Amino acid sequence: RYYMLAMVAIGLIAYVYKTLLGSFVLRRYKYSVEKSELVADNIIRVVLRPYNQRMSFTPGQFVYMRLFDLNGKPMDGWHPFSVSSSSTEPYLELCIKNLGDFTERLLNLGPGMDVEIEGACGRFSYVNYQSRDQVWIAGGIGISPFLSMLKDLPDQGYRVYLFYTVSTASEFVSTEVLNMLAMQKQNSVRIIPFATDQQGRHLTIEDIETLSGALTGKDFYLCGPAPMMDSLRKQLKAKGVPGAHIHTEEFAML
C-alpha cells in the first residue's frame, strides 16, 4: 500500500512540475528545422537552429520538443529527447529512434518549419560526478547523450571507455563522427563497438572489465533500453560497484 501511494505521489509531483510549473521552471525556445534525415535503421537526425536565443545545456542533458503545423499551432504534446550536439555548437542536434506516429512525422519536417524546445533537463553528464575514470555504456539510440559528452570531453585529464552496443551493425549511428572524435581525443577516450549479431551474445560486465580494467574507482554511465540498463546495473552491483557510482538516463527532471 505504501509503495503504491509513493508511486502515485511521485507521478503527481512529476505532473505538476512538468505540466503546471514547466512554463515557470523550464525555459522555452523557438527553433527552426534546418535538416531532418534518416541516418541508420529507424534513426532520425534532426538539426535545429535557434530563432533568437540559443538554449544553454550541459552535455548529456535532454530536452522536450513539440512540433507546430503550418498555421503555427502545436501539433502534439511534449516529447523528451537527448541532445547529441556539443554545448558550444550554434545548432541543436537530436538523434531520435523512429518508434511511432510522432517520430515518423519528424522525417517529414521540412527546412524552415518551427519547433519549440523546453529545457534543458537532467543530471546525466560526466561533469556532475567526481571520478575522471569512467565507463560509458550506450545501447542503440542511447548513444545520443554520449555523442554530446564526447564532443565536449577535454583532450586530457579523463580516462573514458565508451562501449556502444547494438543488435545489428546496421544500427550504428554517427560512426564517422565517433571515429573522428576517437582520433582527436585518443588520450582521453577509447570507443569499443559491440554488435550482438556479430558477437552472438549481449555485452556483459565481464567484457567491459576485460577491456577497461578493474571496476574499482570508476563511475559508470548507462543509457539505452531499460532491460539492458537493468541487467548491467545488477551485474555491476554483483561485482561490488556501489550504486552511487552507477548513473542511468531515466529522463528525470533533476
Side-chain angles (χ1 to χ4, degrees):
R1 182 179 63 180
Y2 293 118
Y3 175 81
M4 292 302 297
L5 287 172
M7 292 300 100
V8 170
I10 291 170
L12 287 173
I13 291 169
Y15 173 80
V16 171
Y17 188 93
K18 176 69 184 75
T19 306
L20 303 181
L21 300 179
S23 59
F24 299 101
V25 178
L26 297 174
R27 299 193 64 178
R28 293 178 178 176
Y29 305 83
K30 276 291 190 70
Y31 275 76
S32 175
V33 176
E34 181 173 293
K35 184 187 298 184
S36 180
E37 59 183 349
L38 193 67
V39 294
D41 283 356
N42 290 324
I43 304 298
I44 302 164
R45 176 177 176 263
V46 179
V47 179
L48 307 170
R49 293 277 178 179
Y51 268 102
N52 296 303
Q53 186 177 3
R54 171 182 166 275
M55 183 189 70
S56 297
F57 63 93
T58 301
Q61 284 192 297
F62 69 93
V63 299
Y64 287 91
M65 180 174 71
R66 66 175 175 177
L67 309 180
F68 288 82
D69 62 21
L70 295 177
N71 296 316
K73 294 182 179 179
M75 295 170 58
D76 299 275
W78 296 93
H79 297 260
F81 301 108
S82 293
V83 178
S84 55
S85 49
S86 164
S87 63
T88 61
E89 289 172 321
Y91 58 86
L92 191 68
E93 179 186 277
L94 308 174
C95 287
I96 301 166
K97 188 165 185 177
N98 185 1
L99 294 174
D101 292 340
F102 177 81
T103 48
E104 182 110 9
R105 281 197 287 276
L106 296 178
L107 275 175
N108 298 319
L109 290 178
M113 294 184 70
D114 293 344
V115 304
E116 192 169 24
I117 298 293
E118 186 177 82
C121 309
R123 287 185 50 79
F124 187 78
S125 179
Y126 72 93
V127 303
N128 288 328
Y129 302 96
Q130 187 172 7
S131 175
R132 295 196 168 199
D133 197 358
Q134 302 179 2
V135 175
W136 301 351
I137 308 171
I141 195 58
I143 191 64
S144 291
F146 295 118
L147 281 169
S148 178
M149 289 159 64
L150 269 178
K151 292 170 184 175
D152 278 25
L153 185 73
D155 296 344
Q156 304 281 345
Y158 282 83
R159 187 173 70 165
V160 173
Y161 287 84
L162 169 58
F163 291 85
Y164 181 15
T165 178
V166 295
S167 297
T168 63
S170 61
E171 295 178 57
F172 283 122
V173 176
S174 300
T175 52
E176 291 183 4
V177 173
L178 288 168
N179 290 335
M180 179 190 68
L181 290 169
M183 289 292 294
Q184 291 176 351
K185 302 172 186 287
Q186 56 186 305
N187 293 322
S188 57
V189 66
R190 180 183 173 191
I191 301 173
I192 301 102
F194 190 101
T196 301
D197 64 336
Q198 295 177 351
Q199 300 293 334
R201 57 187 174 79
H202 292 292
L203 180 72
T204 67
I205 293 303
E206 284 70 26
D207 297 319
I208 292 167
E209 191 171 19
T210 298
L211 292 168
S212 66
L215 307 180
T216 307
K218 292 184 171 73
D219 269 307
F220 295 83
Y221 297 75
L222 284 65
C223 185
M228 181 206 82
M229 292 196 294
D230 289 342
S231 174
L232 291 174
R233 185 192 294 111
K234 290 175 182 176
Q235 292 178 54
L236 284 167
K237 288 185 175 180
K239 288 277 190 176
V241 177
H245 288 262
I246 305 171
H247 317 293
T248 58
E249 176 56 283
E250 308 285 355
F251 289 109
M253 288 288 197
L254 300 174

